[in-house]
Amino acid sequence: MPPLPDPTPRAHLTGHRIRERRLLIGMKQAALAEAAGISASYLNLIEHNRRKIGGKLLVQLARTLEVEPGFLADGADATIHDTLQAAARAAVDSFGTVPETGRIDDLAARFPGWTGLIAAQQKRISGLEAAVEGLRDRLSHDPVLAEAMHEVLSSVAAIRSTADILARERDLDAAWRARFHRNLHEEAERLSARATAMLGHFEAPDARGAALSATPIETVEALFDASAHHFPEIEEAGAQAIPAILARSPGMEDAATRALGERMLSRYAEDAQRLPLSRLLPAARACGFDPGALLGLGAGDVALVLRRLAALPRAEPAPSFGLAICDASGALLFRRRLASFSIPRFGPGCPLWPLYAALARPGQPDAGLLEMPQGARFRVWAVAQPVAQTGFGTAPVVQATMLVAPHEATGPASAGGNLAAQPILAGPGCAVCPRETCPARR
């Protein structure tokens, strides 16, 4: 039996979330109204979703209720919301009634610990399924494994043939019998070595056997998240600061993870050198952090401007920017997620995102307005550009970059694209999107 549908857009339930949070912490309606500087009757209208709310009043209420404004405006963290949606859709059966997907925000508000536990378990299940799928793919297509298996089967055939001769030919000359025994011993040694090597091919690089630990990209993203995607040391000293950052960051003991971290931080250092904050910040403040008005700073490199806006220091009064980077296959290479905008780690995002549409128009910047299934709107700016050349007469290596910001947090329509046009009815990805009739649905 499928989960119950979400009957009301999440963005329309701000008042309900304010009331639930107030009751959860045991605050009277009059006390919250006084702290926010409004009348109790007006707060009552807000809590019953009869008055829209935003701006300073929303921020003041969130501060008094000790939550982030995004939680009141958009509900539970979008990634947690989508993860629980995925868990409900993936459930073959359930204990008792079916999951009430329309009440995920209520669950998150009342029981944030249990909500986080369910989301973490669903993430682990997804990781295990991805690991199994990867191993199955390796069993079918890995050339190293295919060669090792061929060698193992050859040794097994040789051992069986030799043993058969020794068992059947009882009158063998002693010299020949000794030769066959030597061959049998040598093939057994080779079989043992090849089997050990094949086992090592599947083992994780972690010597402690943590075969299902975080992937390198997840560890590197955690490094960036811990610094809010801004590294003052690199802004000041450039690439010289990278070894110290890697040395103090957990998970960098793994060679592959450290190499990826060094590569991502090196690109950050190159970006900071090409477009330093001393040039970016004055221009960004003057235009209200509008990416379209800042394209000239990139000297033709639009992705550079988008990446630098996603790496602004926290002290700046800039919108909360999210970032997604994918290759030409659509596989996500890097992300800076927003609490209100889910960017999946496992599986692709929504095919309607400009991130993927940009791949069909390399070099052409695009912008748009996304409307998610829960009613939240986001402005996005995207471009696909070559990042490496493979030679004359061959196609370059292309990556697409997309910058995301909440619609309410950005200023007027961007000069980089027609953001005032009809919004794109997108979603977080087909696996959890409730738009069943979407023409792009997989």
Side-chain angles (χ1 to χ4, degrees):
M1 186 174 183
L4 297 178
D6 192 343
T8 308
R10 295 169 68 205
H12 297 173
L13 299 176
T14 300
H16 176 73
R17 285 188 284 270
I18 292 173
R19 181 176 183 275
E20 289 292 328
R21 178 61 184 175
R22 176 177 63 78
L23 294 176
L24 182 66
I25 64 176
M27 178 178 285
K28 297 291 186 181
Q29 192 177 64
L32 178 58
E34 181 180 359
I38 59 176
S39 66
S41 60
Y42 187 70
L43 177 60
N44 185 63
L45 292 174
I46 290 175
E47 289 190 346
H48 286 82
N49 295 302
R50 295 177 182 173
R51 291 291 185 274
K52 293 185 177 180
I53 179 175
K56 294 181 179 179
L57 179 56
L58 179 64
V59 173
Q60 180 61 38
L61 287 171
R63 185 179 297 116
T64 305
L65 294 172
E66 300 179 348
V67 294
E68 291 292 328
F71 175 81
L72 297 180
D74 302 311
D77 184 303
T79 298
I80 291 180
H81 186 279
D82 293 339
T83 302
L84 265 63
Q85 282 273 15
R89 287 175 176 269
V92 178
D93 50 22
S94 58
F95 294 97
T97 185
V98 296
E100 298 90 346
T101 55
R103 303 193 64 183
I104 291 177
D105 285 340
D106 294 343
L107 178 66
R110 293 175 178 272
F111 307 105
W114 281 106
T115 304
L117 176 62
I118 296 171
Q121 289 178 336
Q122 175 63 22
K123 180 181 178 182
R124 178 168 175 78
I125 291 171
S126 299
L128 290 170
E129 290 176 345
V132 170
E133 187 65 28
L135 289 172
R136 185 169 64 179
D137 184 68
R138 288 175 67 182
L139 284 171
S140 303
H141 304 103
D142 191 335
V144 176
L145 179 62
E147 182 179 356
M149 183 61 72
H150 174 74
E151 292 177 349
V152 167
L153 293 177
S154 297
S155 294
V156 169
I159 291 173
R160 180 176 179 179
S161 176
T162 304
D164 184 67
I165 293 173
L166 290 172
R168 291 177 180 275
E169 302 295 334
R170 300 183 180 277
D171 298 330
L172 275 177
D173 181 75
W176 278 102
R177 184 175 295 277
R179 182 178 298 178
F180 281 124
H181 276 124
R182 184 172 63 252
N183 291 343
L184 190 63
H185 173 74
E186 291 174 353
E187 288 296 340
E189 290 285 345
R190 276 194 285 271
L191 177 60
S192 176
R194 287 162 180 166
T196 302
M198 187 163 55
L199 179 62
H201 187 57
F202 283 100
E203 288 180 343
D206 187 350
R208 295 168 296 180
L212 295 173
S213 60
T215 61
I217 185 61
E218 288 180 301
T219 305
V220 173
E221 284 182 355
L223 183 158
F224 275 77
D225 288 340
S227 298
H229 287 247
H230 179 75
F231 298 90
E233 311 98 307
I234 297 180
E235 298 285 349
E236 296 177 4
Q240 296 179 356
I242 293 178
I245 295 174
L246 293 175
R248 68 168 184 259
S249 301
M252 293 298 151
E253 301 81 9
D254 173 51
T257 303
R258 187 178 183 87
L260 180 61
E262 186 172 1
R263 185 163 68 250
M264 299 302 295
L265 290 174
S266 296
R267 184 171 70 176
Y268 183 103
E270 181 182 351
D271 289 349
Q273 182 179 17
R274 294 174 59 197
L275 184 53
L277 291 178
S278 58
R279 286 181 53 212
L280 175 63
L281 286 179
R285 292 167 183 156
C287 69
F289 299 91
D290 175 17
L294 299 171
L295 294 187
L297 297 179
D301 191 341
V302 179
L304 169 65
V305 176
L306 301 184
R307 291 195 302 268
R308 289 298 282 159
L309 285 173
L312 292 175
R314 291 178 177 174
E316 287 301 315
S320 297
F321 286 119
L323 186 72
I325 301 175
C326 75
D327 62 16
S329 72
L332 285 166
L333 305 177
F334 188 75
R335 62 176 184 167
R336 180 183 184 180
R337 72 176 192 88
L338 294 174
S340 53
F341 189 88
S342 176
I343 303 175
R345 163 52 52 209
F346 297 105
C350 175
L352 298 178
W353 288 355
L355 173 72
Y356 303 117
L359 290 168
R361 302 184 297 272
Q364 178 181 330
D366 194 11
L369 180 63
L370 299 183
E371 182 174 315
M372 306 305 279
Q374 300 81 18
R377 290 188 171 190
F378 298 88
R379 290 186 172 183
V380 295
W381 300 262
V383 69
Q385 295 178 181
V387 295
Q389 297 292 341
T390 56
F392 289 101
T394 59
V397 178
V398 175
Q399 289 182 4
T401 303
M402 182 175 75
L403 189 73
V404 185
H407 179 251
E408 297 78 7
T410 52
S414 169
N418 183 14
L419 291 180
Q422 187 73 14
I424 301 171
L425 302 181
C430 294
V432 295
C433 183
R435 300 189 194 275
E436 297 290 346
T437 60
C438 176
R441 191 174 188 86
R442 294 181 295 274

